[in-house]
Amino acid sequence: MTTASQPRNVLLVTAHPEPSSLTAALSSFAVDHLRAAGHRVRVSDLYAMKWRAVLDADDFPDHPADHRLEILSAQGEATRAGRLSPDIAAEQEKLLWSDAVILQFPLWWFSVPAILKGWIDRVFTFEFAHGPSVPPPYTEGALAGRRALLATTTGAGGPAFSDRGAHGRLADVLHPLQHGLFWFTGLAPLEPFAVHGAKDLSAHAFAAAREEYGRRLDGLFTDEPIPYRTLNGGDYDRSMRLLPGIEPEGTAGLDIHLRSR
Ligand SMILES: Cc1cc2nc3c(=O)[nH]c(=O)nc-3n(C[C@H](O)[C@H](O)[C@H](O)COP(=O)(O)OP(=O)(O)OC[C@H]3O[C@@H](n4cnc5c(N)ncnc54)[C@H](O)[C@@H]3O)c2cc1C
């Protein structure tokens, strides 16, 4: 059973080419679970949408074909003028609508499938997700006030992603998304939800995964986000380098993240 809480808006972005995949099953479970709890859910099913993964000049309808493409300035101008391509604008509208964002994906080569990377590249535009017109990164961030959850499946087992695992700690593998995407743009990242050993999952393990996922979804708006450091929290110098004596998050002999306030 889900716990009663204030209805909120949740955007679920899911990326798998097979509609009967484990990823798709977990996405459906999440949608049903969140709606049963009273939340409003919108889904961006990237393969079903035939999402165009590659950022190029077509993202900017006003860009003259014979001009050199300066990506950040083209993104910034198109964003400010409301002249991004309609598929990007639609996803940005969903992000602004949301109180929480969930990315559901199989771990491919220690990262997201290319179609989801393309969603990030194209949707988190300059002057929308970062840039001088929006609040600064790692402090407030353009998308502040929203939560973010990575929900992933991995072929390898959990121990391989532990502190002494061959693949490295899951927190390190997902750091580019948790810190570089979410925290940079102001989204408050929760601890990720991962189903390990997912290449061949028994019915029992699938049921256990759903149960755990349900618990995590129940905590979407109440669990404590990862307390990453803020740029203005006194830990960094002006060149964005940690001050002497302050250890990088998670490596100070403590397997936790620290934020000084
Ligand atoms: C290109 C590529 C790169 C990869 N890189 C990595 C990597 O870097 N690290 C790593 O650890 N792994 C990696 N993998 C493995 C990958 O992460 C897993 O195969 C994937 O996470 C499994 O999720 P899926 O949704 O594709 O599962 P599926 O293949 O759809 O299903 C996996 C299993 O889940 C069960 N299942 C599926 N659907 C259901 C359902 N509806 N109900 C109940 N049970 C179901 C079945 O037992 C099935 O065998 C990679 C795979 C690929 C293709």
Side-chain angles (χ1 to χ4, degrees):
M1 273 300 287
T2 51
T3 52
S5 61
Q6 191 193 342
R8 309 292 271 274
N9 297 342
V10 182
L11 171 61
L12 181 114
V13 182
T14 181
H16 200 291
E18 170 52 53
S20 68
S21 64
L22 178 61
T23 297
L26 290 170
S27 295
S28 301
F29 171 79
V31 171
D32 293 347
H33 194 88
L34 289 164
R35 286 191 177 143
H39 298 303
R40 296 167 287 265
V41 185
R42 291 165 79 182
V43 178
S44 291
D45 182 343
L46 300 182
Y47 279 95
M49 292 159 67
K50 300 205 178 301
W51 176 260
R52 205 167 66 80
V54 182
L55 190 169
D56 63 18
D58 291 345
D59 286 2
F60 320 109
D62 294 343
H63 180 73
D66 56 348
H67 276 50
R68 183 172 188 277
L69 181 64
E70 302 269 6
I71 309 274
L72 287 178
S73 86
Q75 276 192 337
E77 279 167 32
T79 300
R80 281 191 303 264
R83 294 281 300 155
L84 285 161
S85 86
D87 58 344
I88 298 174
E91 295 306 300
Q92 291 186 344
E93 184 274 320
K94 290 180 199 171
L95 273 172
L96 294 177
W97 167 87
S98 72
D99 299 306
V101 182
I102 301 173
L103 303 186
Q104 177 88 54
F105 60 96
L107 193 74
W108 283 3
W109 288 111
F110 294 83
S111 186
V112 293
I115 199 167
L116 178 51
K117 179 58 163 57
W119 182 84
I120 296 166
D121 288 348
R122 298 183 60 226
V123 173
F124 284 67
T125 61
F126 191 61
E127 298 291 53
F128 171 77
H130 64 118
S133 309
V134 296
Y138 297 141
T139 300
E140 299 156 40
L143 297 170
R146 297 171 178 80
R147 288 165 162 248
L149 174 68
L150 296 176
T152 190
T153 54
T154 75
F161 288 106
S162 66
D163 53 353
R164 291 171 59 80
H167 293 324
R169 297 183 325 142
L170 189 67
D172 294 333
V173 172
L174 299 178
H175 192 262
L177 298 164
Q178 294 278 69
H179 195 266
L181 175 70
F182 291 158
W183 186 232
F184 184 81
T185 61
L187 295 163
L190 299 168
E191 290 293 343
F193 168 68
V195 179
H196 295 296
K199 267 190 297 196
D200 191 16
L201 209 63
S202 68
H204 177 74
F206 181 57
R210 276 181 311 181
E211 201 173 314
E212 175 59 15
Y213 199 7
R215 273 195 292 275
R216 295 301 312 279
L217 294 168
D218 291 342
L220 190 58
F221 294 102
T222 50
D223 286 350
E224 213 37 58
I226 298 173
Y228 286 124
R229 290 190 172 93
T230 56
L231 267 189
N232 63 357
D235 297 329
Y236 294 96
D237 65 20
R238 290 169 69 86
S239 64
M240 295 171 69
R241 190 178 160 88
L242 280 174
L243 292 166
I246 297 179
E247 298 301 321
E249 288 147 334
T251 63
L254 302 167
D255 192 15
I256 57 169
H257 307 264
L258 301 169
R259 176 171 63 194
S260 66
R261 284 204 171 274

